[in-house]
Amino acid sequence: MLTSRAALCSFLVLLAAAGTAAADGAKTLGIDGGLALPTGDWGDAAGVGIGALARFEMPLRPKLTLTARAGYLQHLSKENNGADSSSSELPLLGGVRYDFSGDDNAQLYGDAELGFIMSRISIDVNGQSMSDSDTNLGMTLGGGYRTGKLDLRANLLFPDVGELGDVMGLMATLGYHLTTL
């Protein structure tokens, strides 16, 4: 876990340094509604996740943007071998987005985010309840399309980079730019 925190701290320092050299541009605040579909072992224990994330964006270069997102995802309950389980995540992510197209009205982009994801799981078996929570280094990799104030994004979601093969999902968000700062 120490190396995960060191990697995240290094990443955040680089983002902060890049932010001080930011190009003059409009910073935006937005909100993303999202669906997360857990796969693999995670998908055996967690149902579809539904949630929202607040988004901040700051241009660094004409095609490069610094991003930050924080929110909440609640997964639907799932029954597995007589046990009911439910889970949720609180992602706190920072990253970069690269716009592949030069058009300001319609942009195709790729993005990567890294940060902490606080996870909680509850299990009920024969009237007995257990719950646990954990904070891990997580990340997203993907891309999207934006036009006007709308932003459609699809990502691979890795809520724990230490368990890449077992804990992974697909996440889709539909965002709206609330305001420009």
Side-chain angles (χ1 to χ4, degrees):
M1 186 65 166
L2 182 58
T3 57
S4 297
R5 287 191 179 144
L8 179 62
C9 289
S10 299
F11 180 73
L12 292 175
V13 167
L14 288 173
L15 287 179
T20 60
D24 288 335
K27 299 169 188 74
T28 58
L29 290 176
I31 188 157
D32 299 340
L35 291 173
L37 178 63
T39 61
D41 291 346
W42 185 32
D44 293 340
V48 172
I50 302 168
L53 298 109
R55 177 174 25 91
F56 171 77
E57 298 174 342
M58 180 175 69
L60 298 175
R61 302 272 184 255
K63 292 187 173 211
L64 188 65
T65 303
L66 180 71
T67 65
R69 293 196 301 168
Y72 180 77
L73 293 169
Q74 175 66 50
H75 291 269
L76 301 176
S77 297
K78 193 161 194 178
E79 185 178 337
N80 191 8
N81 295 329
D84 288 326
S85 64
S86 63
S87 63
S88 61
E89 286 93 35
L90 289 167
L92 178 59
L93 303 165
V96 293
R97 184 185 75 230
Y98 183 80
D99 296 321
F100 294 110
S101 61
D103 187 359
D104 287 340
N105 295 325
Q107 299 171 338
L108 200 58
Y109 64 86
D111 69 336
E113 298 171 309
L114 183 67
F116 288 118
I117 298 181
M118 293 164 270
S119 302
R120 185 179 192 308
I121 187 164
S122 298
I123 301 172
D124 295 320
V125 181
N126 298 327
Q128 299 287 334
S129 297
M130 298 179 286
S131 65
D132 192 20
S133 61
D134 200 6
T135 301
N136 297 302
L137 183 64
M139 69 179 189
T140 68
L141 298 171
Y145 175 78
R146 70 172 34 183
T147 181
K149 291 187 172 229
L150 294 178
D151 188 339
L152 181 61
R153 179 188 306 213
N155 292 100
L156 291 175
L157 170 64
F158 303 97
D160 183 358
V161 295
E163 300 289 335
L164 284 180
D166 296 327
V167 184
M168 180 176 122
L170 303 173
M171 186 166 152
T173 61
L174 177 60
Y176 182 79
H177 297 296
L178 296 174
T179 188
T180 302
L181 304 174

